[in-house]
Amino acid sequence: MASIATLGSHCALQVLKGAKDEGFKTILICEKKREKLYRRFAFIDELVLVDSFLELLEQKCLSVLNENNSIIIPHGTFISQMSSEQIESIKIPTFGNKWILRWESDRAMKEKLIREAKLDTPNTVSSPKDIRGLTIAKRHGAAGGKGYFLTTSEKDYVQKRDRLISQGLIKGDGDLYLQEYHSGVLAYLQYFYSPLKDEIEFFGVDRRHESDIDGIARIPAAQQMEMDGIPSFNVISNSPMVLRESLLDQVFSMGERFVEASKKLVSPGMNGPFCIEGVYDENGKFTTFEFSARIVAGTNLYIDGSPYTSLLYNEPMSMGRRIAREIKQAEKNGSLDKVVT
Ligand code: AMP
């Protein structure tokens, strides 16, 4: 039997708890500074201590993982701490499609996949000169919203950009991507696509609490005008949500279109967990500003299952456990190659 391994951060607890519940040996690649934290959890069978997560690419880690027949579960920390080339070079079977993670990191590729899936998406503002209405400036990669800002003119953009440069967060315009801002109810839609069953499961929906754009809403406009700081969109936590039932049909079809598009553009397609992220307007129309092509941390809310997994399973089903179950099923059928790359 395989073992299940991941990096110690993001959603590692959920992933390894789910793996243990499905009967797998669990292995954590753990930074030494976090050893004490992760030793608190009895469902983690083995810790491989490292100074940096990049050691995942080195022989010491590889031999432990090979000896244990491990399957790696990628999450947001892989994207934020490793380049696409490094992720693609991981020599351990990786759950889902490791090639699609590049499409998450690269804005141009990301937009291509969103458009192929026929998801409505905000217009890109191609140059600071073209800023007209409310525009969001975002950093590339999985920056978690840190250093993002809102702007309405080129002049204001230049001031804010220069401040980020002086803080060492960016080097210049090339590190920022401009997009029309859409206002409404933000929602992060969590899915699992099973290549074994050729079926999409809607796992849950969450909202994010972002510092300090969320804090601004608590301050009256008069005091906001006197403030000098630039609020960022740094994700701090997540809360559960449910959607109006009349929106669910659209949720499933968006997920299905995304899976279809990914099969066309990046073989073998969007296998396993993913998330479509966007905003509902007053007519219930969803505009997608982002996707994550792997498990998102918002699924940590639902370790005991979500309102939507309760409709699909008669037992608590987290995303971590669902991943482990897919691997278990694939091992049983002799079709592991269908669920890993
Ligand atoms: P992202 O990295 O694209 O997930 O963006 C981080 C955060 O910025 C999101 O969680 C939203 O709060 C906000 N955001 C990003 N793009 C847009 C947009 N086009 N319109 C409104 N809010 C956005």
Side-chain angles (χ1 to χ4, degrees):
M1 193 182 194
S3 65
I4 289 187
T6 196
L7 300 181
S9 186
H10 192 266
C11 56
L13 291 172
Q14 181 206 159
V15 164
L16 297 189
K17 172 71 167 66
K20 184 89 273 169
D21 289 345
E22 290 297 303
F24 287 94
K25 176 175 179 184
T26 59
I27 300 178
L28 188 77
I29 316 295
C30 181
E31 289 172 311
K32 287 175 186 153
K33 62 181 182 196
R34 295 208 182 150
E35 179 182 0
K36 200 169 159 212
L37 167 69
Y38 285 107
R39 290 241 184 253
R40 294 173 192 273
F41 301 97
F43 55 82
I44 304 177
D45 294 316
E46 189 170 336
L47 268 74
V48 181
L49 295 177
V50 294
D51 291 306
S52 146
F53 286 137
L54 290 180
E55 288 175 45
L56 173 61
L57 306 171
E58 293 173 10
Q59 201 46 47
K60 189 185 131 209
C61 271
L62 292 178
S63 48
V64 177
L65 297 175
N66 276 323
E67 273 160 29
N68 282 285
N69 222 356
S70 295
I71 294 175
I72 287 269
I73 315 299
H75 53 56
T77 303
F78 286 68
I79 314 257
S80 63
Q81 304 219 1
M82 295 168 106
S83 66
S84 299
E85 289 75 19
Q86 285 170 330
I87 295 173
E88 288 165 4
S89 74
I90 296 175
K91 291 196 179 60
I92 302 293
T94 303
F95 185 73
N97 180 356
K98 68 178 172 184
W99 311 106
I100 202 171
L101 299 174
R102 179 183 285 275
W103 292 68
E104 174 180 337
S105 302
D106 182 299
R107 287 278 171 204
M109 291 170 99
K110 172 170 275 177
E111 207 180 314
K112 187 170 174 196
L113 186 44
I114 289 177
R115 293 201 187 277
E116 180 71 34
K118 298 194 171 53
L119 299 171
D120 290 313
T121 189
N123 289 324
T124 299
V125 179
S126 34
S127 148
K129 283 192 200 63
D130 300 325
I131 296 173
R132 299 284 178 271
L134 190 56
T135 301
I136 182 163
K138 314 198 218 185
R139 290 166 62 206
H140 295 281
K146 191 163 189 183
Y148 288 21
F149 61 86
L150 294 178
T151 185
T152 46
S153 69
E154 185 182 5
K155 188 168 161 238
D156 176 70
Y157 164 85
V158 168
Q159 280 172 2
K160 290 175 174 164
R161 176 204 62 194
D162 288 349
R163 196 150 353 151
L164 290 187
I165 294 174
S166 66
Q167 290 168 359
L169 277 175
I170 59 165
K171 291 205 178 70
D173 286 331
D175 292 330
L176 292 173
Y177 167 85
L178 296 170
Q179 191 177 62
E180 279 175 3
Y181 185 84
H182 279 241
S183 115
V185 174
L186 296 163
Y188 301 80
L189 310 172
Q190 306 161 4
Y191 300 89
F192 184 91
Y193 172 71
S194 163
L196 299 180
K197 295 201 289 177
D198 185 22
E199 211 169 81
I200 198 152
E201 297 166 25
F202 178 49
F203 250 70
V205 52
D206 69 287
R207 54 183 296 240
R208 293 184 184 166
H209 302 280
E210 297 172 323
S211 190
D212 194 23
I213 194 72
D214 287 351
I216 295 292
R218 297 170 57 87
I219 298 172
Q223 279 72 48
Q224 286 183 20
M225 305 285 279
E226 293 161 11
M227 288 165 58
D228 184 37
I230 306 171
S232 183
F233 289 72
N234 198 13
V235 184
I236 299 295
S237 69
N238 307 72
S239 295
M241 271 175 100
V242 284
L243 295 171
R244 286 177 69 155
E245 196 156 311
S246 55
L247 296 173
L248 286 183
D249 199 33
Q250 182 199 22
V251 166
F252 277 98
S253 64
M254 287 194 298
E256 279 164 357
R257 292 205 304 276
F258 189 77
V259 168
E260 279 316 304
S262 65
K263 279 186 185 162
K264 259 197 221 161
L265 294 182
V266 49
S267 178
M270 185 61 268
N271 295 342
F274 66 100
C275 182
I276 297 180
E277 311 172 5
V279 53
Y280 281 103
D281 73 7
E282 73 272 28
N283 300 314
K285 180 173 166 285
F286 191 80
T287 304
T288 302
F289 53 68
E290 178 72 89
F291 67 78
S292 299
R294 36 78 198 172
I295 184 170
V296 286
T299 59
N300 288 341
L301 284 165
Y302 303 124
I303 291 187
D304 278 335
S306 78
Y308 298 102
T309 59
S310 301
L311 300 171
L312 298 173
Y313 295 93
N314 291 320
E315 61 191 320
M317 185 56 68
S318 70
M319 191 63 94
R321 186 167 189 182
R322 181 65 188 86
I323 292 169
R325 183 154 301 180
E326 189 82 352
I327 294 171
K328 196 156 102 178
Q329 194 59 44
E331 274 196 319
K332 209 160 118 194
N333 305 344
S335 51
L336 257 187
D337 56 322
K338 276 195 165 173
V339 303
V340 301
T341 43

